[in-house]
Amino acid sequence: MRVANTAYYGRADPLGVEGDFITAPEISQMFGEMVGIWLSDLWLRHRPARCHYVELGPGRGTLAADALRTTQRFGWEPSVHFFENSPALRAKQLRAVPDAIFHDNLESLPTDAPLFIVANEFFDALPVRQMVATQAGWRERVVARNSEAGFAAMPGATAADDLIPEQFRSAAMGSIYEICPDASSIVQQLSARLAKQGGVLLVIDYGYIYPALGDTVQAVENHRYADPFHNPGQIDLTAHVDFYELSNCAKNAGLLVAGPNDQGAWLSGLGIDRRAQILAASNPNKSAEITAARHRLVDPDAMGALFKVLAAYAQDWPQPEGFGL
């Protein structure tokens, strides 16, 4: 999955109508504006002398551009840092945010001030490991090559029982349990930074909030679901994010955690409905388009319930908005 996605994101820009999928920032400027308001609120309530905006996998730079345009209205212009390895996307990100500084690894992120870290649809693209229940016990799924059928998944020979939580050890044959070591490692590294430097990590992605069984690996090509084993490197591979694991990684590093909350509830709490009304009134010819975008981002039958929002923040920082009491 790592090899395939590295090739996929390195070859071209996969976003937009002409690509394979559309992310929330590309649906409407309102999404990035709500993120900017959320970040600005934390900055205004804590007022660090210096700080840095960091985005993991910033797509075309659309989210950062919209969010930073919003933070400027509050008198806040942080330095901008992008964690991105795709040359094709870096070029577009630089056009959207000309002052962005690029990083190939997390270690090179600045250490001199608090970090405001945003990860929108980043963790879902990281490779997962899958364990499957067999008559011989739990085994890790591996990818085999069949000269006639191409690639396919099958149980490997190595026992994987130690990787399975106690509540799932006796699951039915064929049950699948996923882990994402890369996601856990990244959150651990960033949480250690935030505990020392101050700041916040905002994660927005589709996923689940409690430990669960199931095969969530999926592929998208031309805005339609595809076979994950067909044309590796030419299609988008993702898996649902385990927010329970990310939350525990942050807490174990000494951070406080808010959420996860549904994206729709989070956006509504930040005022997206009012923003949609203002935009529609200012652009009456685009009123229907703006209303449709708001529904797509907020409604439970669209992105509103599937996508979750999690915030992890330093101990002495204010509680973030959008998560209720």
Side-chain angles (χ1 to χ4, degrees), residues 80-96:
V80 182
H81 301 263
F82 286 163
F83 178 59
E84 176 63 67
N85 293 317
S86 167
L89 289 174
R90 278 192 175 191
K92 293 197 172 184
Q93 292 159 9
L94 203 56
R95 287 197 289 271

Side-chain angles (χ1 to χ4, degrees), residues 200-282:
V200 63
L201 166 64
L202 178 69
V203 179
I204 307 173
D205 225 314
Y206 52 89
Y208 47 99
I209 60 177
Y210 299 109
L213 296 173
D215 177 3
T216 74
V217 174
Q218 62 187 33
V220 174
E221 184 177 22
N222 295 325
H223 302 274
R224 296 180 178 180
Y225 289 113
D227 179 353
F229 298 102
H230 177 67
N231 283 338
Q234 302 295 315
I235 56 177
D236 176 49
L237 294 176
T238 64
H240 285 213
V241 175
D242 182 352
F243 279 91
Y244 183 83
E245 169 67 11
L246 300 192
S247 178
N248 282 338
C249 289
K251 290 177 181 177
N252 290 338
L255 299 187
L256 299 175
V257 172
N261 195 9
D262 288 350
Q263 175 178 291
W266 185 76
L267 291 172
S268 294
L270 297 176
I272 193 171
D273 291 344
R274 179 57 181 156
R275 181 56 176 155
Q277 293 172 358
I278 293 173
L279 282 176
S282 302

Side-chain angles (χ1 to χ4, degrees), residues 153-206:
M154 62 176 288
T158 305
D161 299 80
D162 291 345
L163 297 175
I164 309 303
E166 187 64 35
Q167 68 265 39
F168 300 137
R169 294 279 177 90
S170 300
M173 295 300 103
S175 296
I176 292 175
Y177 178 71
E178 293 180 347
I179 60 174
C180 185
D182 284 16
S184 300
S185 175
I186 288 172
V187 173
Q188 289 166 1
Q189 292 181 62
L190 294 176
S191 296
R193 285 290 202 95
L194 294 177
K196 183 178 181 180
Q197 295 174 228
V200 63
L201 166 64
L202 178 69
V203 179
I204 307 173
D205 225 314
Y206 52 89

